[in-house]
Amino acid sequence: MESIPKALAINEERGVFKMVIHPRSSKVLGVHIVSPSAADIIHEAALAVKFGLTIDDIIDMVHVFPTLSEGIKRVAQVFTRDVSNMSCCVE
């Protein structure tokens, strides 16, 4: 959560995202969110699993800035790039 601008702004950096993807298709198989705000942001992940979305589908979707749901996009980006060197809003 400490890499999500909204979490920093509201002083709520406690938490972690974990995403499991299929190694060949990159479909999202599961997402875990441990955070006081998890119930408010898990819905996008649930839809990704239900409809067989890939990490590219999530990355390509517009995520409003600043929101905690940016964490879903951020965790999807981890599979394809080093997000520690990215600005918060860079694709």
Side-chain angles (χ1 to χ4, degrees):
M1 291 292 285
E2 70 265 359
S3 69
I4 302 167
K6 174 74 175 206
L8 298 171
I10 63 172
N11 199 27
E12 187 55 74
E13 299 112 42
R14 296 175 301 150
V16 65
F17 289 79
K18 178 181 176 182
M19 182 178 284
V20 179
I21 65 168
H22 189 279
R24 288 187 298 280
S25 68
S26 295
K27 285 186 178 183
V28 179
L29 301 177
V31 178
H32 298 272
I33 303 172
V34 178
S35 165
S37 303
D40 297 330
I41 53 182
I42 193 66
H43 300 94
E44 177 182 348
L47 287 170
V49 172
K50 180 174 181 166
F51 293 110
L53 300 182
T54 67
I55 56 170
D56 290 325
D57 293 327
I58 292 175
I59 292 167
D60 292 341
M61 188 169 61
V62 174
H63 287 76
V64 177
F65 175 82
T67 61
L68 294 174
S69 66
E70 286 180 284
I72 301 287
K73 180 175 183 173
R74 195 79 156 175
V75 74
Q77 290 172 319
V78 167
F79 290 98
T80 61
R81 63 194 65 150
D82 180 3
V83 297
S84 66
N85 295 326
M86 290 173 48
S87 167
C88 67
C89 309
V90 171
E91 176 42 46

